[in-house]
Amino acid sequence: MLNNKAEPPSDVSLDTLQGRQSVRATFTLPRQAIALISTVASQLGVKQKSIFDHLVENQHFLDQVASEASKQEPAKRNRKQKTFVLSRNSLNALERFARNHQLPRDLVVELSIKKLEPVIDAQKQKHVNRKALLKEMNNVSDTFQHLMVKAEKLVGTEDDTYARLVHIMTLNDKCIRELSDIVEKGKCMDAFD
């Protein structure tokens, strides 16, 4: 007789599951770092927790941070306390790493977040490109408006050609609205210079 009882996977344990549990941790960081992680999360559509987990659980990445941290002292000015959600494993890894390298935990987090600058730079360039495309699409819309007036005079509003132009114009207007929403969402990147 078959055993219908499902066996749990061997790599699942209470410790593993508890390590994935979300916890809150407060860090004192430069306002720019707080804005950076918030903007990256928003633009990429991922949670800040996922970004933290990725940054802190990557040993090669942390080794680069340690190398940079040994060369600089955290700035005391323009810092703000901010509470973030991250996994218990990430918080433990962060604290262990900071302790082993004798670095302030906040400095490790700050430098880890700074590593996201190339991501925001790429997103900023896309934002600039989207704005340029939106401008061109608006120009196309103006051209279509003139074409619609011309088509109405030449073939009338009951003609299939006119109906097709209306369809194209409707799709173009929808695309312009959607792209406008994306550009509006990306305005937060304008603050990063």
Side-chain angles (χ1 to χ4, degrees), residues 130-177:
R130 286 181 189 121
K131 288 194 295 189
L133 288 170
L134 180 59
K135 184 177 180 181
E136 285 187 43
M137 287 177 72
N138 280 316
N139 291 340
V140 167
S141 185
D142 291 343
T143 302
F144 259 116
Q145 290 289 347
H146 295 296
L147 186 59
M148 296 288 293
V149 170
K150 188 174 184 177
E152 184 177 354
K153 288 178 185 173
L154 293 175
V155 296
T157 58
E158 302 301 319
D159 191 84
D160 284 345
T161 303
Y162 185 84
R164 290 173 198 271
L165 290 173
V166 168
H167 178 69
I168 292 170
M169 186 71 173
T170 302
L171 288 175
N172 186 60
D173 288 347
K174 180 181 180 215
C175 289
I176 287 174
R177 284 191 306 274

Side-chain angles (χ1 to χ4, degrees), residues 112-130:
S112 295
I113 292 172
K114 280 186 83 167
K115 291 285 190 184
L116 296 172
E117 286 176 346
V119 173
I120 205 69
D121 289 343
Q123 289 299 310
K124 277 177 61 175
Q125 186 56 52
K126 280 186 180 183
H127 179 64
V128 168
N129 294 343
R130 286 181 189 121

Side-chain angles (χ1 to χ4, degrees), residues 6 14 17 20 28 33 64 70 73 75-76 92 99 104 122 145 152 156 160 165-166 168 177 180 184:
L14 184 58
L17 295 174
R20 292 281 171 210
T28 303
Q64 290 177 345
S70 65
E73 184 125 350
K76 304 284 186 221
N92 290 341
R99 189 174 46 252
Q145 290 289 347
E152 184 177 354
D160 284 345
L165 290 173
V166 168
I168 292 170
R177 284 191 306 274
S180 293
E184 185 65 31

